[in-house]
Amino acid sequence: MTLSASASKGPEAASGRQVKGPEAAPAAQQATGQNAQPSPPERQVGVAAARLRVTLDRRLNRETPASIIALAQEEL
């Protein structure tokens, strides 16, 4: 089975349109690099997730990475 060049690049290549919105998010995140600061709601979700990870690791007797512990100690 062979794919044409446009089919292998997804529907946006076949239609010739530029992708905007949620589909473009990975490329946009990659373009901004690792130094981009998350928005306050995203940061709150990250802190809450880190707290859950610390609690789960504690209950399962697993070691939690120091970066996760540091994030979990931040204020919401």
Side-chain angles (χ1 to χ4, degrees):
M1 181 174 155
T2 61
L3 295 174
S4 68
S6 62
S8 65
K9 293 181 182 179
E12 64 271 56
S15 67
R17 69 177 178 88
Q18 194 172 24
V19 177
K20 294 181 182 176
E23 302 93 340
Q29 289 172 351
Q30 195 174 37
T32 59
Q34 295 294 326
N35 294 332
Q37 295 294 319
S39 67
E42 290 172 337
R43 188 66 175 180
Q44 290 174 338
V45 169
V47 170
R51 290 177 181 179
L52 288 171
R53 167 80 186 267
V54 169
T55 301
L56 178 63
D57 286 348
R58 190 175 298 136
R59 289 183 180 186
L60 296 176
N61 294 320
R62 296 190 303 197
E63 189 172 334
T64 306
S67 60
I68 301 296
I69 293 170
L71 182 58
Q73 291 173 344
E74 292 184 13
E75 282 192 36
L76 287 177

